[in-house]
Amino acid sequence: MQIRELITEDEIDKKVRALAQQISAEYAGKSLKLICILKGASFFACDLAKRITVPVYLDFMACSSYGDSTVSSGDIRIKKDLDAPVTGEHVLIVEDIIDSGQTLYYLKKELSVRGAADIRICTLLDKPTRRVADVRADYTGFVIPDCFVVGYGLDYAQRYRNLPYIGIVDIEER
Ligand code: IMP
Ligand code: MG
């Protein structure tokens, strides 16, 4: 399988710093609950958290919708829940990529039911042309075309997460 570099390690690093600076400015005086969506957002969430200057509390959640396919089933399930309640907190959901939008649509609703004070979304990547559910990110790293990408946390059937850059894979399924 061929992997073509789309976003370099250096470009990711610069973007993460810029996002962290913007987030730190907009949350000045508050503390922030970063919710990292496992496993894809783990690299991004850690790098982002290191650059944010307001107090950060980290929590993790895992959802499933894809299995090993590259197309969302739309049936979202929580596989690992948060350790702590989010009641009254300023929540920033950190996601690797928004594709159909179904995962984040579901999660935003769920965290709102749990009583978060406000909920924003920070995504490293966005594929707006594939959107099915009405969700928008408050902070976006890169808008990319409709292609399947791996690296920097993102996988194809659990592989390639450890690539330091983002690359496009050629997959017949799509
Ligand atoms: P959505 O619910 O369709 O927006 O799906 C979002 C989730 O699908 C992301 O958190 C990723 O785990 C996965 N995903 C979507 N597109 C890609 C991709 O191009 N590469 C790797 N994972 C992807
Ligand atoms: Mg994911």
Side-chain angles (χ1 to χ4, degrees):
M1 190 156 57
Q2 288 274 60
I3 299 179
R4 209 157 20 96
E5 189 173 58
L6 177 67
I7 306 168
T8 67
E9 195 175 355
D10 191 48
E11 287 169 329
I12 295 170
D13 183 60
K14 287 199 174 83
K15 186 66 78 177
V16 170
R17 285 169 193 266
L19 286 171
Q21 200 174 24
Q22 189 189 350
I23 290 165
S24 302
E26 292 182 13
Y27 284 90
K30 297 177 181 152
S31 55
L32 192 50
K33 174 70 72 79
L34 277 194
I35 295 183
C36 168
I37 309 303
L38 296 169
K39 303 170 186 165
S42 55
F43 292 50
F44 177 43
C46 292
D47 284 345
L48 188 70
K50 283 192 287 184
R51 308 288 173 208
I52 292 175
T53 53
V54 299
V56 166
Y57 296 84
L58 260 183
D59 208 342
F60 298 86
M61 200 175 211
C63 302
S64 70
S65 70
Y66 279 55
D68 279 347
S69 165
T70 63
V71 184
S72 173
S73 67
D75 176 22
I76 316 295
R77 278 179 220 165
I78 296 178
K79 288 200 299 186
K80 182 222 173 285
D81 208 340
L82 299 170
D83 285 339
V86 291
T87 322
E89 300 197 333
H90 303 288
V91 167
L92 184 61
I93 303 174
V94 181
E95 179 59 302
D96 51 359
I97 188 163
I98 311 182
D99 188 39
S100 73
Q102 294 175 105
T103 307
L104 283 174
Y105 183 83
Y106 169 84
L107 277 183
K108 229 183 149 173
K109 228 171 41 186
E110 173 65 24
L111 296 178
S112 148
V113 167
R114 296 186 191 184
D118 64 81
I119 304 161
R120 291 190 195 176
I121 293 170
C122 177
T123 188
L124 178 66
L125 305 171
D126 190 0
K127 287 195 273 196
T129 54
R130 291 182 41 93
R131 201 72 91 251
V132 175
D134 182 24
V135 277
R136 249 150 295 174
D138 301 280
Y139 306 97
T140 302
F142 304 92
V143 174
I144 61 168
D146 176 12
C147 50
F148 200 81
V149 290
V150 294
Y152 195 62
L154 291 104
D155 72 305
Y156 173 55
Q158 301 302 324
R159 286 193 66 193
Y160 309 113
R161 290 192 197 277
N162 60 317
L163 293 177
Y165 58 88
I166 307 272
I168 300 177
V169 286
D170 302 311
I171 300 164
E172 269 119 57
E173 190 184 337
R174 287 155 74 89

